Amino acid sequence: MGLTAASTRPRKGLSLRQREELDFYLFIGLWLVGFLLFTGGPILASLLFSFTNWTGLTTQEWVGLENFRKLLFDDPLFWIATRNTFFYSLGSVLLGTLGALAVALLLNQKLPGTTLMRVLYYIPSIASGVAVSILWIWMFNPQVGLVNYLLSLVGIPGPLWLGSQQWALPALILKSTWAIGANMIILLAGLQAVPTSLYEAAKIDGAHPWDEFFNVTIPMLSPVLFYVLVISTISSFQILTDVLVMTQGGPGTATLVFVYYIYQNAFQYLKMGYASALAWILFAIILALTLLQLWGSKKWVYYEDQAA
Amino acid sequence: MAPPLTRPPLPHTQPWHQKRSVRRGAHAALVYALAVPGAILFTIPLLWMLSTALKEPKQIFLFPPKWIPDPLLWGNFVAGWNDFLPFNTFLANSLIITVSNIVGNLISCSLAAFAFARLRARGKNLLFLLVLGTMLLPQEVTVIPQYVLFTRLGWNDSWLPLMVPPWFGWPFFIFLLRQFFMGIPRELDEAARLDGASSGRILWNLILPLSKPALATVVIFGFIGNWNNFLYPLIYIRSMDKQVLAVALNMFRGAYGNANYQYMMAVSLLVLLPVLVVFFLGQRLFVRGIALTGIKG
């Protein structure tokens, strides 16, 4: 086909194939320049910074692995931030994914009102940012906030939430589950892609609804579920706005999370070198977790095209 | 394909709870019993936000709370917006930056996405791997050196650090659009190419008109992302007259928040409103775009 095209429409100098290649580089040009200037270059710079003691003001000195040695062995805040981030991630990913799956299963039915309910569950996930962080400060108000009011209805005296060492981080996890709608939509799309013939076959074989769930729904949904898990994990490690607005890492160090610690070092203490080293550690952790999930997925994720 | 199996005849001695109609009814009741309270629970924070925004101060601290304020102080929206900080300025700034960034993203990302979806070239796979790689890269890795770069360029306390990069593409949108473009039958543009259409014409006249769900998704995610962008204006913008809504709202909370929950909720609600409006306007296309590309923001 390429031959006929070339012969019917000859161009000066360039063959059709060359023309296409030129177009390719023209079309990606903006992105390529942007990548070099705003991503690729900065990545290399950041890597260099992480081996210096640069503060953004003074001249920089090469300190080798000193930043990494210090943060691993000499900085208790680093370990607190790591622990807090893992705790937050575990809580928000588990609650977020299971909650989204439960809601998606409930609303994947042809019953009146399910469309409206899908919208109601979904809206909070697009309502994000500072405005929502402020709403949740008010929600978690220990005396007159809505959360403790609802708890009081079922006879539970609510904690101090954002004012409590113990409950501030769980409060942020709770807030994050308000946004499960995004995962729910993806899981719903996944559920609707399961061929009904499989359910019919299961019914004919006399399968109990539980068998149907574990032997049809879950395996067929597993690639989507896996995607949701990976994306949620990555984004949970990058929580920042909520902490900046709602807790500033406190009380004490109760909500000091990784990215907030990077922010503090870079833009409050101006320790650019140290903050860069932290950022690279964060990247390494995220990469390791993603690879771990990828490796683990071989045991439970079912890809249809590989089944036969 | 195997011929469809016929259902074996059901025995006539079913106990009542296995009868179809009863089971269906019980099933529906169970679904509603679980889903409806959840839906209410997910909706009430926003209603509570509205309720607080309309209250007079002494009703705010009533416990148990009063859901429908008396009187309804709609004036709180006006007072919160005008009496403390120049929110009209912040609104204008946020709008200019957001709209410009979305336009920049649409142009730069559809060009790149088209190239990755349709054009053959050496090095393409490697470059696409770079797009995917940068999608996974946390912004924290680049934010510090970018700050150094933009400061050296003298861009501190200007909109340039916020407004220039979007014109150079965004890996996530490039990926999303590319996935969508790949789903459009190739025969269409090959026919156009045989008729002598250039790549630009194929993209503009053929691919883009067929990609409205994906473009709507970019617009909505772009709007939400830029409107809510907090870190960048926080670290770059110092002057009050250049500030954007997200940071200004947090300044408002810091300065006046503790004593004025009604104003804080009113202004927060106003800041949130455009996001909800944009979502509802584009919702139909948006949900299709997500379902087709399997992506969330």
Side-chain angles (χ1 to χ4, degrees):
Chain A
M1 189 140 69
L3 259 180
T4 30
S7 55
T8 51
R9 198 167 49 84
R11 263 172 192 277
K12 259 184 258 159
L14 289 176
S15 75
L16 201 66
R17 191 62 201 262
Q18 285 169 319
R19 174 79 213 165
E20 194 172 329
E21 195 151 27
L22 182 66
D23 279 352
F24 175 83
Y25 281 97
L26 284 175
F27 276 45
I28 66 159
L30 280 171
W31 167 75
L32 197 57
V33 170
F35 171 79
L36 295 174
L37 285 180
F38 304 130
T39 312
I43 290 174
L44 289 179
S46 158
L47 197 58
L48 289 179
F49 290 167
S50 68
F51 297 111
T52 69
N53 64 356
W54 195 35
T55 58
L57 300 170
T58 57
T59 51
Q60 45 192 336
E61 257 173 60
W62 188 264
V63 293
L65 290 171
E66 170 61 19
N67 285 329
F68 294 94
R69 187 204 63 79
K70 192 178 161 207
L71 65 86
L72 287 176
F73 301 109
D74 232 0
D75 183 356
L77 287 179
F78 165 79
W79 290 105
I80 291 172
T82 306
R83 200 193 55 207
N84 285 345
T85 310
F86 270 94
F87 182 80
Y88 173 82
S89 176
L90 195 68
S92 70
V93 171
L94 275 184
L95 275 177
T97 310
L98 290 178
L101 179 62
V103 176
L105 287 168
L106 279 176
L107 298 183
N108 185 33
Q109 325 256 353
K110 287 192 183 62
L111 290 172
T114 45
T115 311
L116 173 70
M117 282 196 280
R118 283 177 201 176
V119 174
L120 292 180
Y121 278 106
Y122 187 67
I123 286 174
S125 72
I126 50 151
S128 51
V130 175
V132 173
S133 303
I134 291 179
L135 164 63
W136 281 86
I137 296 176
W138 179 224
M139 294 280 294
F140 283 126
N141 182 301
Q143 282 83 41
V144 291
L146 191 61
V147 176
N148 277 358
Y149 168 64
L150 292 176
L151 287 176
S152 77
L153 291 182
V154 287
I156 301 172
L160 290 174
W161 294 116
L162 301 175
S164 141
Q165 289 266 5
Q166 199 184 348
W167 287 99
L169 204 51
L172 294 182
I173 293 174
L174 196 63
K175 189 229 166 221
S176 78
T177 58
W178 196 45
I180 59 171
N183 286 338
M184 176 204 72
I185 289 280
I186 297 174
L187 290 168
L188 261 174
L191 283 172
Q192 281 162 4
V194 179
T196 43
S197 61
L198 288 180
Y199 290 114
E200 281 157 15
K203 281 220 172 57
I204 290 165
D205 290 346
H208 189 266
W210 278 117
D211 302 328
E212 214 178 276
F213 178 71
F214 284 110
N215 296 323
V216 178
T217 309
I218 289 295
M220 293 306 285
L221 196 62
S222 57
V224 182
L225 211 50
F226 172 64
Y227 173 83
V228 165
L229 271 178
V230 171
I231 297 291
S232 308
T233 309
I234 292 176
S235 66
S236 72
F237 264 81
Q238 299 183 43
I239 176 184
L240 178 64
T241 303
D242 283 343
V243 175
L244 274 170
V245 176
M246 294 168 72
T247 64
Q248 294 88 44
T253 55
T255 57
L256 180 76
V257 291
F258 217 110
V259 178
Y260 186 71
Y261 193 47
I262 296 177
Y263 168 83
Q264 280 191 315
N265 272 292
F267 301 109
Q268 290 181 349
Y269 316 145
L270 295 176
K271 293 184 189 165
M272 296 291 180
Y274 196 63
S276 299
L278 278 167
W280 275 96
I281 299 253
L282 174 68
F283 184 37
I285 293 176
I286 292 178
L287 201 64
L289 280 176
T290 308
L291 292 176
L292 194 71
Q293 284 174 322
L294 203 63
W295 172 77
S297 74
K298 290 196 183 112
K299 303 205 186 322
W300 67 276
V301 175
Y302 169 85
Y303 291 103
E304 186 142 41
D305 49 351
Q306 291 166 8
Chain B
M1 228 177 125
L5 292 168
T6 43
R7 217 187 159 89
L10 291 168
H12 288 284
T13 51
Q14 276 183 328
W16 68 271
H17 63 270
Q18 282 182 9
K19 284 209 175 106
R20 254 194 112 115
S21 59
V22 175
R23 243 177 47 188
R24 280 186 74 92
H27 176 75
L30 184 67
V31 169
Y32 287 126
L34 292 170
V36 171
I40 294 172
L41 215 56
F42 268 64
T43 314
I44 52 174
L46 286 172
L47 297 176
W48 159 261
M49 197 179 190
L50 180 65
S51 162
T52 307
L54 295 170
K55 278 177 184 167
E56 56 177 15
K58 60 174 191 255
Q59 285 186 354
I60 288 176
F61 294 100
L62 284 181
F63 194 87
K66 194 175 164 79
W67 280 94
I68 300 171
D70 178 31
L72 289 165
L73 293 182
W74 293 97
N76 283 348
F77 284 99
V78 183
W81 191 262
N82 291 329
D83 294 357
F84 300 90
L85 296 172
F87 273 101
N88 279 327
T89 308
F90 307 141
L91 172 68
N93 296 347
S94 279
L95 273 178
I96 294 169
I97 294 172
T98 300
V99 170
S100 157
N101 288 359
I102 291 175
V103 174
N105 266 325
L106 281 174
I107 294 172
S108 57
C109 297
S110 25
L111 284 172
F114 177 75
F116 283 120
R118 283 297 202 266
L119 302 175
R120 286 163 301 178
R122 275 162 292 177
K124 176 166 122 172
N125 289 339
L126 191 71
L127 288 166
F128 190 63
L129 219 57
L130 272 184
V131 173
L132 292 181
T134 45
M135 260 172 72
L136 288 182
L137 192 79
Q139 67 168 11
E140 292 71 34
V141 173
T142 51
V143 74
I144 296 166
Q146 268 187 21
Y147 180 80
V148 174
L149 172 71
F150 292 148
T151 307
R152 288 260 163 93
L153 291 171
W155 288 6
N156 237 324
D157 200 25
S158 83
W159 288 347
L160 291 172
L162 310 180
M163 292 180 75
V164 172
W167 288 84
F168 293 90
W170 180 253
F172 172 64
F173 290 152
I174 295 175
F175 177 69
L176 184 151
L177 289 172
R178 178 224 182 226
Q179 295 303 96
F180 197 89
F181 293 170
M182 301 266 281
I184 298 171
R186 209 178 254 274
E187 292 77 37
L188 289 175
D189 42 302
E190 271 171 4
R193 210 172 268 285
L194 285 179
D195 289 341
S198 65
S199 298
R201 181 155 288 281
I202 291 171
L203 172 62
W204 183 254
N205 287 351
L206 216 145
I207 301 285
L208 289 184
L210 289 172
S211 305
K212 281 180 196 136
L215 296 173
T217 309
V218 170
V219 170
I220 293 178
F221 279 148
F223 191 90
I224 297 175
N226 282 293
W227 196 255
N228 289 337
N229 188 359
F230 183 61
L231 181 62
Y232 281 70
L234 182 71
I235 60 181
Y236 286 111
I237 297 181
R238 295 277 160 271
S239 315
M240 204 63 159
D241 60 323
K242 291 177 191 157
Q243 199 48 275
V244 299
L245 279 175
V247 176
L249 189 60
N250 193 40
M251 284 164 35
F252 181 51
R253 177 198 61 78
Y256 307 100
N258 291 332
N260 297 288
Y261 274 109
Q262 74 280 26
Y263 295 141
M264 236 167 62
M265 289 302 118
V267 177
S268 297
L269 206 56
L270 289 174
V271 171
L272 197 57
L273 203 59
V275 173
L276 298 176
V277 170
V278 167
F279 170 72
F280 275 105
L281 289 179
Q283 180 232 357
R284 222 157 250 293
L285 290 168
F286 174 66
V287 171
R288 210 143 50 95
I290 297 189
L292 288 172
T293 52
I295 279 167
K296 74 162 177 170

